[in-house]
Amino acid sequence: MKSAWRWILLGTLWTAPLAAAPASWYLWQSRLDGKLVCLQISPGDGWTLVKGPFKDNNCRH
């Protein structure tokens, strides 16, 4: 029984550093009309990365 708990503890400690961090946010500008949007991924070919990364979905922090 002690061996099983040892493996559970080892597995927990091994996978703890693999926890995912939140994705960053970026400010994108449309090449067509200059509109700005804050997204985690590129909205497409017609957009240019302006600033980033940010921690919030308003692209302020």
Side-chain angles (χ1 to χ4, degrees):
M1 187 67 176
K2 287 183 181 180
S3 179
W5 284 110
R6 195 174 298 156
W7 283 109
I8 291 170
L9 179 61
L10 182 62
T12 303
L13 294 174
W14 181 264
T15 58
L18 301 178
S24 298
W25 294 82
Y26 298 90
L27 188 63
W28 299 90
Q29 184 174 26
S30 169
R31 293 182 191 159
L32 182 63
D33 60 5
K35 180 179 177 181
L36 295 171
V37 295
C38 185
L39 297 170
Q40 292 178 320
I41 60 171
S42 171
D45 292 335
W47 295 81
T48 305
L49 179 62
V50 177
K51 275 188 175 181
F54 295 95
K55 293 182 180 180
D56 66 330
N57 64 346
N58 292 324
C59 289
R60 294 185 187 183
H61 300 286

